[in-house]
Every structure is written in C-alpha cells, then in structure tokens.
Amino acid sequence: EGKRQISLGTDPMSLRRGIDAACSHVVKWVEDQAVPVAGMEDLLRVATISANGDAEIGRIIADTLDKVGADATVTLEEGKGNTTKVTLTKGFEFDRGMVTEHFMRDFEKQRTVYADSLQDGVLAQIDSRFGNPEDPRSAYVWLINGRLGSLAQADVRESFTAILNMIHQTNVPLIVIAEAIEGDALKLLAQNAMRGILNVVAVRAPGFGQDRRDLMEDLATATGAKVRRTDAGDSLFDGFSLAELGTARFVQVGLDKTIIIPPDSQAESIEHRVGEIDAKLAATTEEDFRHTLTRRKSMLTGGVANIVVGGRSDAEVREKRDLYEDALLAARAAAQSGIVPGAGTMLLRAAESLGTFKAANEEQDVGVHILRKALLVPFQEIIKNGGGSAEVVMHKVKESGDKHAGYDSNRNEYCNLVERGIIDPARVIISEVEHACSMAGLLLSTDVVIGFAEEPDLLKALSAQKQQQS
C-alpha cells in the first residue's frame, strides 16, 4: 500500500513518519487495553492456544511458570524417553555470556554446561568430567572485581599459571567471572580450554560501577566465594587458596547468558542477603534504585525449571520442543504484559482507535491510513479461513459495546473472547505492530535492498529470472 501511495506522489519520509506516529499510538492504546493475567487459568489458555491447542503442553508450561514465576529461567531439552519431565530448582541468572567461543563445549546448543552428577543424571551426561564421583561440586567459581589481562611480568604469569595448575589437580571445572578478561590471561585460559587441559569458561561480570560490585557480592553469597577486589587494593593472585573459590551445582554458560545453581549449603547465606536487600527496598523511594534492588533480589531467589521433552521419535521430540517453546514465550509474555482478546480482534479495535488520530500533516496522515488498513487484514483473513463473511462479522463486532466481544470461527458464533479463552498476550500484539511498521518503513524509504540467498535453487531461480528480464 505504501509503494502505491509513493507512486502517486506521496513523500516517502513523510509516509514513514506517519506510520511511526500511528504505530506509537497503537502501542499505547493496546497497553491501556491489556488485562493482567488472573492466574493459572489464563496462563493455561494462552499456552494451550500457542501450542496449537495441545492441552498437555499448555498445562505443563502454565504449571511450571506458576511455580517458578514468569521472569524465571526455563530451559528446554530434548529427552530420550517417551515422557516429558520437569525439574525445579533455585538459580542465579545474569545477561553475560562467555568472553569467546573458544570456551564453548556444546556447539550444537551454543553453550557450555557443567552439571552435578549427583543432582541430575540426565544433565550429567552432557559432561563426564566432574572430578570424583562422590564430589557434589559441578564447578568452582572464581570472582574478580577487576581486570584480568596482561601477564607480561614473569612473576605475575608464574602466579597465574600456578593457580590454574592448583585447580587442574582437583579435576573440577572452573568458571572465571571478572570485570574484563583479555590479553595474555584470556589467551592462556582459551588455550587450556581448547586443548582439554582444564575445563574453564571465562565470563564477563554483570553490571557496571557500583551495580557490578553489588552483583559480584551477590554472586559471592550464592556460591560461597570470596571476591578479589582490585579497586579496593586486593592483589589479583597473592595469597591465593582454593578456599576462596565458590562452588556451584549446575552452570550453563551461553553466548549472552549465564545460569548458576548454587549449592544447598548457601541457602542460609542467600536468605540473609535477600533480607538485606528487602531492608534497602523498604528504606528507599528512588525508583531506579528500587528497580535495581528488585532485579538483584530476583537473581538470588529466582527459580530455574528444566523441561526435558519426551517423544516416540526424534522428529516428534523436535516438533514438541518447538511447541513447548512457542507456548513458553507466549505465556511468559502474557504474564509480563497482560492479555487482550485474540482472533485479530484487538488489531481491529486498534484500527478503530486510529479513526480520529491525526499526524503532523496530510502526507503523514496517509501513513496513518495505511496502518489502519493493514490492521484489519488479520481479522478478515481469520474470518475467511473459518468460512464466514469478513465484512458482515467485522460490522457486527464493531457495533458491539463490549470490548471483549468477538467471533469464534471454530464454533461460528459471537462471544466474549476472554471468557471463551481466545486471548493473546498484549506483548505479542505490540511486537507484531512494531516490527511490521519498522520493516515497512525501512523498505519504503530505501532505494535498494540486498538479500543474501542461502538456497542454491533460489539463486538459480533468481539468475534465470534476471536473464529472462534481460
């Protein structure tokens, strides 16, 4: 529609600005219409719909999020048996991953995992080298609130090498978390990892400034480690002993995320640390600081759920895993942003809200009209696919004074969509509109787009088409 308007003389940039303005209006309108998730029943509805109507998948996802929380980590694994199993535990998660892919040991899943062989036999199969079988430690955790870099001085390099040798003798994997890991130190760690001499992963510390120092102390509490603080005058290596290393029962390090499940022995220390954070929350009214404290608390208390998807064949397991992932993302989005009526009805109502919206000028109003027209299409297509008359149904739904009223194409009847369970996460609707407007605006204001075709057959087809045009 935008290309047609541009061919009629509309300025592309004005058109794009009009689309962006209308998009912002729709996003705000949908956020205002969202209804908070009422509990398990709403999560179950959203998850079941997103899993193509599979009630069992919906139930497992809803039950898992109900137990660990919408913000908690949920990992999905492809199992070997027929049944799907769910394990729940507490874990510390932050948005930092391995410094370089040289530390990666599972390239298929783009991660490195160290699991407690006594805690979970399934996870233990990922890594057979855990040290002594009776040793419950999955990995050591070395915390450095400082930069680990140059080893140019002979005594510094000797000290660092001696520490790595000391850890190597224990045959326990090592996670190094520091403000920065670079230069000679990174090279030495990566060489040890690639040659299989030492199971080690280097991770950049989360946060910045004081926030990073607090998060490192939280990590120390969770793992029982002592933080080496070079900013407070601590030496990087002098007087090092294994006693200052923390321990973890389970560690998963990806490219942009790290999950650490602490040992049971740290439960009391974690509870005490959470109490300190609660006291600070009660004493402050500064919104940004409260947000930071709340995030730190969720890291310490957040649950981690692992869903091992079962099936009768590899193909079935892969298909079910995709359905579990869709259901998980949808249910989590609903819990975080609320729900709205589904079946394209919310987009239809959003199009109505644009009826009185005016942009900065007439050419931008054309962009508003384009988005308004596009928002009607999903609703119309759903009705057509169900065998109904799109215009008739759309007219009746618009006439209804109930914002939750809509049309159930499966039963061919008008109903309250929310009560019927035909709902969408508000975040999903917002993302649809934002992404569509962003890409459409980009293409409408660009002369040439270059695409990289990976399929040989597609390349041949494009080449043949070009020759025919010539």
Side-chain angles (χ1 to χ4, degrees), residues 86-103:
V86 182
T87 57
L88 305 175
T89 185
K90 296 290 184 181
F92 192 105
E93 176 190 348
F94 57 91
D95 295 329
R96 287 285 191 276
M98 59 185 72
V99 176
T100 170
E101 292 186 10
H102 293 124
F103 297 110

Side-chain angles (χ1 to χ4, degrees), residues 109-221:
K109 294 184 171 65
Q110 294 286 287
R111 67 185 188 183
T112 292
V113 173
Y114 297 125
D116 178 356
S117 55
L118 299 181
Q119 175 201 1
D120 192 326
V122 176
L123 292 172
Q125 294 173 7
I126 300 174
D127 187 353
S128 59
R129 291 186 285 181
F130 297 103
N132 299 324
E134 65 275 8
D135 190 345
R137 292 171 299 187
S138 162
Y140 280 130
V141 180
W142 188 8
L143 301 179
I144 302 172
N145 190 27
R147 307 181 74 85
L148 192 57
S150 174
L151 303 176
Q153 295 180 347
D155 58 335
V156 174
R157 186 178 186 86
E158 184 177 333
S159 297
F160 187 53
T161 304
I163 291 172
L164 296 184
N165 286 334
M166 191 186 309
I167 297 171
H168 172 66
Q169 296 301 317
T170 68
N171 204 26
V172 176
L174 173 67
I175 307 297
V176 184
I177 302 177
E179 175 188 345
I181 304 173
E182 55 198 8
D184 299 334
L186 177 59
K187 183 178 179 180
L188 185 58
L189 290 173
Q191 287 176 343
N192 275 276
M194 288 187 293
R195 294 174 182 174
I197 300 172
L198 178 65
N199 280 341
V200 60
V201 179
V203 178
R204 210 171 125 226
F208 303 93
Q210 182 60 45
D211 185 34
R212 181 179 60 242
R213 288 190 284 272
D214 291 336
L215 287 170
M216 290 290 274
E217 291 296 339
D218 292 342
L219 264 172
T221 300

Side-chain angles (χ1 to χ4, degrees), residues 210 214 273-285 289-290 293 296:
Q210 182 60 45
D214 291 336
R273 184 74 171 176
V274 170
E276 293 178 352
I277 294 175
D278 283 335
K280 291 181 180 178
L281 275 169
T284 183
T285 57
F289 188 43
R290 289 184 62 84
L293 290 172
R296 287 175 53 202

